Amino acid sequence: MSRPGAAGGAAQQGGATPGFARGRRLRGTPAMRRWTAQTRLSPADLVLPVFVKQGISEPVPITSMPGVVQHTQHSLRKAAHEAAEAGISGLMLFGIPGDKDPVGSQADAADGVVNVALQQLRADLGDELVLMADLCLCEYTDHGHCGVVTPAGVVDNDPTLDRYAAVAIAQARAGAHVIAPSGMMDGQVAAIRAGLDSAAHTETPILAYAAKYASGFYGPFREAAEGAPQFGDRSTYQMDPPNADEALREVAQDLAEGADAVMVKPAGPYLDIVARVADAVDVPVSAYQVSGEYAMVEAAAANGWVDRQRAILETLTAIRRAGAGSVLTYWAVEAARWLR
Ligand code: PBG
């Protein structure tokens, strides 16, 4: 703040001395604040996660996420058109199958719910939006874990990798522009890259959920995606919240395995991780503002405890300010409309 030779006392008294930079000089009008804003938020920064469910004829509201639904194929197509119109960059697709089994067969079935959705959206929209396919088994397995499990109930890393590779190929074939593995198995990026390359999908990039924490903020998502673990939890494969350096190791590992872009998740409670990852890498960094972050603001706003629009835009700006190039958020379309 103070320049060499300047009298510090004058600044504290209100900066009357010529030559002092004053914070308030640059904050006087909305136009001045817009001019000096260091972080900008625009529709292209946003990606909308969407849920599509098999066997429903009307969209099903998710009670813990007011405003978010499980889509039918039809309502999803409509929502995708609206997203394109609002100018956001892409969609992250999650499927909820009619049938679940121990290996999550519906994840890579050609007529599986998400693969049908990808085909239709790609046919409808071409390349207008980036269609990202979340790649995990938890929505598709009857036990709700992100991989296949041993008879003892432990998630079995390497057999899961074979499943992930098969799912990636099915999603790319169905029309996904980006494959986004979120299961946190060791070696998943390498296995998926090899699978995609073997099926002539060498041009399909991988957005790795590289630093994904075992978070309490996923609660509402488990209602939305119907993928809550039926026993145990995910703390043996997702990261432990106290750890930060480990996030950099996970990111470095995923990049070494061939990830084209990386993600930090959740976003708001992990802005330090977003900042460190953004500083450390030279690939695009996304941050996922998860279901619990959404639900908290919606609940507070519904009670009149925070100004909804202001709080939403502040959270999104903070995630961008920390260094994320792109933000996955359930408010993507609504926020994009505010920002145009
Ligand atoms: C599945 C997955 C989860 C989320 C995205 N992909 C849940 C989990 O890991 O339990 C959470 C997203 C959200 O809470 O909005 N692996």
Side-chain angles (χ1 to χ4, degrees):
M1 282 289 277
S2 40
R3 303 204 179 137
Q12 277 157 24
Q13 283 158 27
T17 308
F20 275 100
R22 292 188 66 192
R24 292 188 55 186
R25 278 192 193 122
L26 296 173
R27 297 178 197 139
T29 67
M32 196 78 94
R33 294 192 289 275
R34 188 159 59 114
W35 170 52
T36 56
Q38 193 182 350
T39 304
R40 295 184 195 283
L41 196 58
S42 71
D45 301 328
L46 306 176
V47 169
L48 177 71
V50 289
F51 305 100
V52 56
K53 180 170 175 167
Q54 192 169 351
I56 52 172
S57 52
E58 291 295 326
V60 178
I62 299 158
T63 41
S64 52
M65 299 175 74
V68 179
V69 300
Q70 295 173 324
H71 280 290
T72 66
Q73 295 287 359
H74 178 75
S75 71
L76 177 63
R77 292 167 80 170
K78 200 164 148 263
H81 279 288
E82 288 168 8
E85 217 148 81
I88 68 168
S89 277
L91 302 178
M92 177 69 78
L93 275 94
F94 295 91
I96 304 122
D99 289 313
K100 304 192 185 215
D101 63 25
V103 296
S105 306
Q106 285 298 303
D108 55 326
D111 62 353
V113 64
V114 100
N115 297 321
V116 170
L118 285 164
Q119 268 171 39
Q120 291 182 345
L121 296 182
R122 190 67 188 267
D124 285 357
L125 296 163
D127 298 331
E128 209 178 328
L129 285 176
V130 180
L131 300 177
M132 306 179 187
D134 179 89
L135 195 173
C136 195
L137 292 183
C138 61
E139 304 103 87
Y140 301 93
T141 51
D142 49 11
H143 46 70
H145 277 287
C146 298
V148 297
V149 296
T150 65
V154 176
V155 174
D156 206 351
N157 198 86
D158 292 4
T160 299
L161 299 183
D162 296 335
R163 292 291 301 127
Y164 283 4
V167 176
I169 293 167
Q171 292 174 335
R173 192 170 285 155
H177 290 101
V178 171
I179 303 299
S182 67
M184 291 298 281
M185 294 301 127
D186 288 332
Q188 63 183 13
V189 173
I192 289 166
R193 184 72 270 157
L196 290 171
D197 291 351
S198 75
H201 293 294
T202 52
E203 299 302 316
T204 304
I206 297 174
L207 163 58
Y209 286 68
K212 177 172 174 181
Y213 285 85
S215 172
F217 291 96
Y218 303 151
F221 175 92
R222 293 185 182 165
E223 179 194 347
E226 302 178 18
Q230 298 304 303
F231 54 85
D233 60 29
R234 306 208 201 291
S235 45
T236 63
Y237 42 104
Q238 298 180 346
M239 287 179 54
D240 204 21
N243 296 348
D245 294 343
E246 189 185 346
L248 297 182
R249 283 206 301 280
E250 289 279 358
V251 166
Q253 181 66 38
D254 282 358
L255 291 175
E257 290 182 27
D260 301 281
V262 294
M263 193 196 296
V264 174
K265 178 182 171 194
Y270 295 87
L271 292 183
D272 58 322
I273 309 298
V274 173
R276 288 183 64 179
V277 169
D279 279 348
V281 305
D282 54 7
V283 298
V285 175
S286 294
Y288 195 142
Q289 180 178 59
V290 301
S291 56
E293 297 177 74
Y294 176 93
M296 283 194 303
V297 173
E298 289 292 349
N303 278 292
W305 295 337
V306 296
D307 175 331
R308 181 171 178 275
Q309 177 170 351
R310 201 174 154 191
I312 290 170
L313 290 175
E314 189 171 332
T315 63
L316 297 174
T317 301
I319 297 164
R320 290 269 297 119
R321 192 189 61 230
S326 173
V327 186
L328 290 100
T329 172
Y330 299 98
W331 289 304
V333 171
E334 190 177 6
R337 289 181 182 141
W338 295 334
L339 295 167
R340 301 197 90 169

